[in-house]
Amino acid sequence: IAAIFDYSYETSDYGLELEANKKQVGVGIEDGDKRYGMVGKDFSVNTLKEFVESFIKGELKPTKVIEPYVPPPPAEEEDVDDSAVTVLDADNFKSHVDGTKDAMVEFYAPWCGHCKALAPEYGKLGKKFEEEEDVLIAKFDADAHTVPSGYDVQGFPTIFYVPKGGTPEPYNGDRTADAMADFIRGKRS
């Protein structure tokens, strides 16, 4: 039992032509991608029984075959050159972020869409500082490793700036290579 206006798109799949403001019965069977409608017959117990028996015997022709949904191909991921970004983990974190240089650390998760969107810009940031030995641009997979104490990571990506000899501070600026580079340079002067 349903309102015809709410389900008119489905009744057409079964070949049923129901009229508005009239009490009617429409019967349809869905079998995978095929739709079968009891069309051209007034509803009664006998016509319903005949319809179902014909379906079971395979005598009915579908009134509609639904094309299977084919998802679009995945978008090609942009090649990201993050060769100048140091990969940190629980074992090497303290040896790299040791207070002897300024550090920018991204805490990320590989599945995170925002992290994937940041990756090209973060790779460019790494390239901007790859020749400077007193600046570390690094990333830490916070999904695979326990986040070190002193870093409050509540979501992904979370970026911290750690000044040479200082304590970590969250970076909340723009997520572009230029903006992050300007931030680092501004902190160093």
Side-chain angles (χ1 to χ4, degrees):
I1 298 176
I4 189 170
F5 295 113
D6 293 338
Y7 293 94
S8 62
Y9 66 95
E10 287 187 7
T11 59
S12 66
D13 284 354
Y14 296 93
L16 304 173
E17 296 178 14
L18 304 178
E19 298 174 30
N21 301 319
K22 183 177 176 186
K23 291 184 180 183
Q24 304 162 86
V25 176
V27 178
I29 298 174
E30 180 176 326
D31 183 27
D33 61 349
K34 296 177 180 70
R35 308 292 185 264
Y36 301 87
M38 190 173 80
V39 293
K41 298 180 183 179
D42 289 332
F43 180 80
S44 71
V45 172
N46 286 336
T47 56
L48 176 62
K49 182 179 175 188
E50 289 171 13
F51 175 69
V52 172
E53 287 174 350
S54 295
F55 171 77
I56 292 170
K57 292 177 186 175
E59 298 172 348
L60 295 180
K61 291 185 178 176
T63 51
K64 184 166 187 177
V65 177
I66 306 296
E67 294 295 323
Y69 172 73
V70 178
E76 290 187 29
E77 291 189 22
E78 184 178 338
D79 282 340
V80 176
D81 180 6
D82 62 355
S83 61
V85 177
T86 301
V87 178
L88 302 175
D89 58 35
D91 296 328
N92 69 4
F93 189 90
K94 287 183 180 177
S95 65
H96 284 286
V97 184
D98 59 1
T100 62
K101 59 182 91 176
D102 295 313
M104 185 75 101
V105 181
E106 173 200 6
F107 293 89
Y108 74 99
W111 48 261
C112 168
H114 295 289
C115 301
K116 291 177 183 180
L118 175 63
E121 290 298 312
Y122 207 70
K124 290 175 192 172
L125 177 66
K127 287 291 188 189
K128 288 179 180 284
F129 289 99
E130 74 180 328
E131 300 298 322
E132 298 187 37
E133 294 181 11
D134 58 342
V135 176
L136 171 70
I137 306 299
K139 64 182 182 178
F140 183 95
D141 183 346
D143 191 46
H145 305 283
T146 302
V147 175
S149 62
Y151 297 86
D152 184 26
V153 176
Q154 298 296 317
F156 302 118
T158 297
I159 302 172
F160 279 91
Y161 173 73
V162 187
K164 181 177 180 178
T167 58
E169 61 181 84
Y171 171 77
N172 295 310
D174 288 339
R175 303 287 175 101
T176 65
D178 290 337
M180 290 183 281
D182 289 346
F183 176 83
I184 293 168
R185 289 187 182 107
K187 289 290 192 174
R188 297 177 72 205
S189 50

